[in-house]
Amino acid sequence: MTGGEQLAFRLRRDVRWGAFFCATGQMGFARQLTSVEILEQVQRFHVELLSKGERLSNVVLMGMGEPLGNYNNVMEAVRRINQDLGIGARHITISTVGLVPRIRRLAEENMQIKLAVSLHAASDEERNAIMPVNLRFPLADLMETCKFYVEKTGRRISFEWALIAGQNDTPEVANKLGHLLKGLNKMCHVNLIPLNPTAGFDGKPTKAAECDIFIKILSKYGVTATTRVRRGIDIDAGCGQLKSKLNKVVGRGGAPL
């Protein structure tokens, strides 16, 4: 037996709330996946690992689609992943772009699952430009809701931050982010992800030295951060990259799934 494997998988056919710099966010929206379709993705991988004497230990609901935009199906799938497959609630993470009412609803679920919020910008002006969800749920509302979530659940929130060279990776931006998050009283962590390259966005990933500077500045505000290793970029397995490639080959609808 290994120490376990982690699976990140999709919740929708395409997306309408996503970030413009992400391959998934450039696709648009097709439909929601059912709870069974969501569960099946996990179950197939679970069975495959068992056949190899390994196990699935962590599940992240993210990637192609906004989990909280498909709330009922996602929560039904999460309960079955927990109960039927035996994946502990503390090993299940739900990611969101920041759907404020659904975060509050999730806080009332009394489940020990983890929450990750895709942030990527520390001001409304900057976030509006790359994440259309911010026009509906601005940062002040999102941060207030995150505080509610932390107080209600006692659980730490992770914030996802795609580092775009020369745009949101500067010391000035790091200070803005530190000010924004310090009110969470150390109940948060920032995952820094150097940008995944896509044909629809001309930004470049931040270099390691700038990542380290960003982390040091955040630490001054009591905010912890780590740089995540990018995986699968060379085979178009980053968020939405494979589907984008297929769309170019077979047309807007992509290949049958």
Side-chain angles (χ1 to χ4, degrees):
M1 295 285 286
T2 69
E5 299 290 342
Q6 175 168 298
L7 174 65
F9 62 99
R10 66 181 188 173
L11 288 303
R12 297 184 178 198
R13 288 287 302 274
D14 305 330
V15 65
R16 55 184 166 182
W17 290 105
F20 293 144
F21 57 80
C22 173
T24 301
Q26 296 159 20
M27 292 178 183
F29 175 76
R31 70 172 177 87
Q32 307 278 21
L33 295 186
T34 67
S35 63
V36 174
E37 288 174 319
I38 297 169
L39 175 65
E40 182 185 14
Q41 295 176 74
V42 184
Q43 193 168 33
R44 283 177 178 271
F45 195 56
H46 172 71
V47 171
E48 180 181 340
L49 287 174
L50 288 179
S51 70
K52 299 176 182 178
E54 302 174 355
R55 65 184 178 89
L56 178 61
S57 59
N58 292 280
V59 171
V60 183
L61 290 85
M62 61 180 302
M64 290 177 63
E66 164 55 45
L68 297 188
N70 190 12
Y71 192 91
N72 292 336
N73 286 326
V74 164
M75 295 311 298
E76 173 63 23
V78 164
R79 291 186 177 93
R80 292 193 62 184
I81 291 168
N82 176 229
Q83 296 167 10
D84 298 356
L85 303 184
I87 308 297
R90 294 183 182 183
H91 297 277
I92 300 173
T93 301
I94 293 180
S95 177
T96 177
V97 294
L99 301 189
V100 164
R102 301 293 171 82
I103 294 174
R104 288 183 172 273
R105 184 177 172 185
L106 184 65
E108 302 285 356
E109 290 283 354
N110 195 31
M111 296 180 69
Q112 293 185 318
I113 55 180
K114 296 177 181 178
L115 176 66
V117 176
S118 295
L119 197 56
H120 310 304
S123 72
D124 283 326
E125 180 181 4
E126 294 164 339
R127 200 164 190 259
N128 288 346
I130 60 173
M131 299 189 70
V133 67
N134 201 71
L135 295 167
R136 185 168 178 182
F137 304 115
L139 282 173
D141 293 345
L142 178 57
M143 288 300 105
E144 180 183 353
T145 300
C146 287
K147 290 178 184 178
F148 171 80
Y149 180 90
V150 166
E151 292 169 359
K152 180 72 177 178
T153 66
R155 301 193 65 77
R156 188 178 74 166
I157 293 178
S158 294
F159 290 99
E160 309 299 309
W161 190 277
L163 284 166
I164 307 170
Q167 295 190 37
N168 68 349
D169 65 345
T170 65
E172 178 185 4
V173 173
N175 280 292
K176 284 183 182 180
L177 180 59
H179 278 292
L180 186 69
L181 299 183
K182 67 179 182 179
L184 290 174
N185 298 318
K186 300 183 179 181
M187 289 292 287
C188 69
H189 181 83
V190 179
N191 288 317
L192 301 173
I193 312 109
L195 182 73
N196 290 337
T198 69
F201 185 75
D202 61 2
K204 304 297 181 184
T206 297
K207 295 180 180 179
E210 281 71 29
C211 293
D212 292 341
I213 293 171
F214 204 92
I215 291 171
K216 289 179 181 178
I217 293 174
L218 289 179
S219 69
K220 296 178 182 178
Y221 297 89
V223 177
T224 61
T226 52
T227 303
R228 259 188 10 204
V229 177
R230 299 186 302 162
R231 294 186 176 93
I233 305 304
D234 57 329
I235 57 170
D236 291 316
C239 180
Q241 288 183 308
L242 182 57
K243 180 67 182 296
S244 292
K245 187 174 182 179
L246 287 174
N247 280 348
K248 292 178 183 178
V249 174
V250 301
R252 183 67 183 88
L257 298 177

